[in-house]
Amino acid sequence: MRTINPWINFNGNAEEAFTFYKSVFGEEFTKIVRFKELSSEEFPIAEDDANKIMYIGLPIGKNNVLIANDVPEFMGKVNEQENRSKIAVSAESREEADKVFNGLSAGGDVEGPIGESPWGTYAGMFRDKYGIEWIVEFDPNI
């Protein structure tokens, strides 16, 4: 297996969230596709959904891409406070772990402050301001 890339659903704010993530990770989007680009007679898109994101990709690290989309109104809402799977970021240094943790947790809720973990790593856990759950970790033994 080459990579596993997390894919997140949003309620119309995928572009806003990914612009925030881009400010932390410092990469450029690989692709942005809006629902209006897919509209056809066979697949009509409601005007309210036309500018929503069907696909957005943000490279993270050497081989990974964080992916997202907005859920069209006809499919209902995503519960942003549900217990979703966490996105784990393995940093290359304590400094990088601090930068990512502090950047992404800004405006969110820290569940576990970054620091020494019982399993010998430097780690922290939080839910960002968009409701996405993250774990940031640096393992000095890897």
Side-chain angles (χ1 to χ4, degrees), residues 1-122:
M1 183 176 310
R2 196 174 83 210
T3 61
I4 295 176
N5 298 309
W7 191 310
I8 309 167
N9 292 315
F10 288 89
N11 288 318
N13 61 344
E15 188 168 14
E16 176 188 336
F18 267 57
T19 299
F20 172 68
Y21 300 155
K22 178 181 169 183
S23 76
V24 174
F25 290 109
E27 300 291 337
E28 295 298 321
F29 300 130
T30 57
K31 184 190 307 185
I32 298 175
V33 178
R34 298 188 186 280
F35 278 100
K36 66 183 175 187
E37 296 171 41
L38 305 174
S39 185
S40 67
E41 286 184 29
E42 298 82 32
F43 188 67
I45 302 296
E47 190 174 322
D48 290 347
D49 291 327
N51 282 316
K52 289 182 180 175
I53 299 294
M54 193 298 186
Y55 177 98
I56 189 167
L58 179 66
I60 297 179
K62 297 175 183 139
N63 300 309
N64 303 296
V65 179
L66 183 61
I67 303 167
N69 65 277
D70 289 315
V71 176
E73 287 185 21
F74 74 87
M75 293 181 74
K77 292 259 185 213
V78 173
N79 180 352
E80 293 179 349
Q81 297 307 313
E82 70 185 5
N83 186 11
R84 301 187 214 183
S85 299
K86 291 179 175 25
I87 298 172
V89 176
S90 297
E92 293 184 10
S93 67
R94 288 171 78 97
E95 295 78 20
E96 182 182 49
D98 284 335
K99 178 183 180 240
V100 171
F101 184 91
N102 293 330
L104 291 176
S105 66
D109 295 315
V110 174
E111 297 169 2
I114 195 155
E116 300 302 324
S117 72
W119 52 91
T121 65
Y122 183 72

